[in-house]
Amino acid sequence: MTKLTLGAHPFLLGFDQLERLVERTAKSSNEGYPPYNIEQTSERDYRISLAVAGFSEQDLSITVEDRQLVVRGRQNDVGERVYLHRGIATRQFQRSFVLADGMEVGEAVLENGLLHIDLNRQLPDAVVQTIRIKRSGK
């Protein structure tokens, strides 16, 4: 029996990229740091909130790379401190989120140790295309 993949289904033409995207996302699953929430704030709006306590705006970067929202954090060590207990994570991180077509990144706000990134889904224009049928030249 042959395994039927998403990209090979006869009614899903051109979806082989989607299958590769799902595989890439599964392989790049991040560890649990930093923790995050994703909430739907309206019918077409979303918000990703990452817990980044101890990071400043200068320690964080947000980019969109090949339909992926990438959030990176890197803190600069300030002097040499002597910790008796170090329970607050200050390691660098990279957290990626795959964006669907039509998703746009809005503003990002750092507030009370949470980095909020707003997303908006743009509705595609409804297009009806009529294809002209030619006669064969026999």
Side-chain angles (χ1 to χ4, degrees):
M1 177 176 263
T2 305
K3 179 183 173 189
L4 188 62
T5 63
L6 180 66
H9 194 280
F11 298 124
L12 299 174
L13 301 174
F15 281 88
D16 49 330
Q17 286 183 340
L18 178 61
E19 187 172 15
R20 285 193 299 270
L21 185 64
V22 170
E23 288 174 5
R24 182 176 68 184
T25 303
K27 288 178 184 176
S28 69
S29 63
N30 299 310
E31 59 182 65
Y33 181 77
Y36 65 92
N37 293 333
I38 300 175
E39 60 183 303
Q40 186 170 2
T41 55
S42 74
E43 187 177 325
R44 295 187 333 226
D45 296 315
Y46 302 87
R47 172 174 271 188
I48 299 173
S49 299
L50 291 99
V52 292
F55 287 84
S56 69
E57 293 92 344
Q58 295 80 22
D59 298 330
L60 300 167
S61 73
I62 303 169
T63 58
V64 177
E65 306 168 10
D66 190 28
R67 290 187 5 193
Q68 282 194 359
L69 173 67
V70 180
V71 182
R72 293 180 178 93
R74 175 176 221 145
Q75 287 184 323
N76 297 324
D77 284 335
V78 181
E80 293 197 23
R81 297 180 179 179
V82 177
Y83 290 95
L84 299 179
H85 172 75
R86 189 167 185 176
I88 300 173
T90 58
R91 63 184 185 259
Q92 67 182 15
F93 69 87
Q94 177 174 312
R95 177 69 76 177
S96 299
F97 302 90
V98 177
L99 301 177
D101 287 336
M103 292 296 290
E104 292 186 3
V105 179
E107 74 175 354
V109 177
L110 184 59
E111 174 184 44
N112 298 326
L114 294 174
L115 175 64
H116 302 290
I117 304 168
D118 292 327
L119 305 170
N120 177 267
R121 179 186 314 206
Q122 299 297 313
L123 294 178
D125 295 332
V127 176
V128 176
Q129 182 179 6
T130 303
I131 309 300
R132 194 172 135 243
I133 302 172
K134 295 183 186 179
R135 294 186 98 174
S136 102
K138 288 184 182 180

